[in-house]
Amino acid sequence: MSTENVVIIGSGPAAWTAAIYAARANLNPLVFEGAGSRTMIPGGQLMFTTDVENYPGFPEGVSGIDMMLDFKKQALRFDTRVFTEDIVEVDFSDRPFLLRSSGGQEVRAETVIVATGANARWLGVPGEERLAQSGGGVSACAVCDGALPVFRDQVLAVVGGGDSAMEEALYLTKFASEVLLIHRRDELRASQIMQERAFASDKIRFLWNRTVEEVFGDDAISGLRLRDTVTGETSEVQVGGMFVAIGHIPNTAFLRGQVDLKENGYVDMPTPWRTETNVPGVFAAGDVMDDYYRQAVSAAGTGCMAALDAERFLAHNGSSG
């Protein structure tokens, strides 16, 4: 079995940026871009984003799908090799590392860059997934999508009760006519300071003890069916957008026991501003290690860092074979 210089796991901005840098450094990277699932497809969360207007270099904006296809095309230009398979098991106990794919492949690698991203938690109600994938006004990232013209001067809903939900709601007040914050309980989980900021906004209206039962709309969202968690009664509200802010799930299940993870499942990074994990030769980039910013541009930046770190690691440590 031949040994790869670097294997990159993932296919979002971090993964493809790492591939571009590694390929141009003549490391001949191998990318496992993922097989795809109902909630995650190769290309990551940007594949569910219709318009990206906050990535530098695209003054007129760009669709998330087109952006990720261009990222991949640029990596392929430098002869990056790609398998459309998941990595389902890894053994990082010794170098070269051993990786097993969903297609039954076994690959050895001197270095590994984990850039598998995170899945947004969704409500799982009728209409939600369809309108999220079609760009019909359902999103899991207000900072990514909230400034789009389609959401301006609309009544927008935010679902959640933690700090992320408060941040999303406050951000949306810049563009919405009103923000409805829908929470299943009668008190928030958010930190006191975030609660105070949200309560102080005259644009945010709280709908307590409510859950979303259904999202209405054919091509675009038109409203929501809500259920009162106390009385069981249902009601309907008209909205021009819904932002789900109930957290993210990092795609790290295959790493458990192999690298250190934080309590929330994200890869633990022992050194600030570095991409090294606790295992020498294993690096992490993008949303899989970033539970704070979660932006395409910051993910791409860490992809660059991981490739440079891998290149330097190889230069100093050489081949273990």
Side-chain angles (χ1 to χ4, degrees):
M1 185 189 304
S2 62
T3 300
E4 304 290 340
N5 285 315
V6 56
V7 169
I8 299 166
I9 313 172
S11 56
W16 292 127
T17 303
I20 291 165
Y21 271 78
R24 294 187 73 252
N26 295 320
L27 296 180
N28 196 25
L30 177 62
V31 174
F32 283 86
E33 67 173 349
S37 66
R38 187 177 62 83
T39 58
M40 181 67 75
I41 57 179
Q45 293 186 56
L46 279 175
M47 300 299 283
F48 299 102
T49 303
T50 49
D51 295 299
V52 179
E53 295 188 330
N54 56 4
Y55 198 98
F58 297 93
E60 303 302 320
V62 60
S63 84
I65 294 174
D66 287 344
M67 173 183 277
M68 294 322 302
L69 291 176
D70 281 346
F71 269 52
K72 181 177 181 178
K73 188 184 301 182
Q74 189 169 350
L76 293 176
R77 175 189 166 198
F78 299 108
D79 298 324
T80 296
R81 294 162 298 143
V82 181
F83 286 114
T84 307
E85 300 175 12
D86 295 317
I87 292 297
V88 295
E89 186 180 356
V90 296
D91 183 352
F92 292 158
S93 59
D94 290 301
R95 286 182 59 230
F97 307 120
L98 179 64
L99 302 90
R100 294 186 178 91
S101 78
S102 55
Q105 294 194 72
E106 289 194 351
V107 177
R108 290 200 176 273
E110 297 289 353
T111 62
V112 173
I113 295 174
V114 178
T116 45
N119 252 322
R121 292 183 188 270
W122 295 98
L123 302 172
V125 299
E128 175 192 43
E129 183 181 347
R130 175 176 55 82
L131 289 169
Q133 292 185 356
S134 67
V138 175
S139 169
C141 181
V143 176
C144 309
D145 302 327
L148 295 174
V150 68
F151 293 123
R152 292 179 182 265
D153 301 317
Q154 299 278 344
V155 176
L156 303 177
V158 173
V159 184
D163 279 356
S164 293
M166 300 309 109
E167 290 171 4
E168 302 267 275
L170 288 163
Y171 180 80
L172 291 172
T173 59
K174 302 175 185 178
F175 316 105
S177 60
E178 183 181 36
V179 177
L180 305 178
L181 204 148
I182 302 167
H183 187 44
R184 59 186 175 179
R185 292 190 283 268
D186 61 358
E187 59 182 7
L188 301 170
R189 294 180 291 104
S191 61
Q192 190 62 36
I193 188 169
M194 292 305 298
Q195 290 191 42
E196 291 173 358
R197 289 174 182 172
F199 289 141
S201 173
D202 58 6
K203 275 195 170 185
I204 298 176
R205 178 158 61 97
F206 290 82
L207 299 181
W208 301 106
N209 299 314
R210 302 287 203 287
T211 58
V212 176
E213 295 282 295
E214 186 176 356
V215 182
F216 300 127
D218 294 324
D219 296 326
I221 187 173
S222 59
L224 306 172
R225 176 182 288 121
L226 306 179
R227 180 176 296 277
D228 190 304
T229 59
V230 177
T231 66
E233 295 180 357
T234 60
S235 59
E236 296 180 5
V237 293
Q238 290 185 327
V239 298
M242 180 180 78
F243 294 83
V244 182
I246 56 175
H248 289 73
I249 306 170
N251 299 313
T252 54
F254 71 102
L255 294 173
R256 294 194 181 279
Q258 297 296 322
V259 298
D260 287 347
L261 304 177
K262 295 193 286 188
E263 287 186 8
N264 59 8
Y266 288 79
V267 177
D268 185 43
M269 310 306 290
T271 307
W273 292 100
R274 293 291 184 270
T275 65
E276 296 98 339
T277 68
N278 67 299
V279 179
V282 178
F283 308 88
D287 284 10
V288 76
M289 48 75 82
D290 174 16
D291 58 359
Y292 188 78
Y293 294 105
R294 294 196 297 265
Q295 298 298 304
V297 68
S298 54
T302 58
C304 161
M305 294 160 62
L308 294 175
D309 286 341
E311 181 183 3
R312 288 168 182 155
F313 179 89
L314 290 168
H316 287 99
N317 293 275
S319 172
S320 60

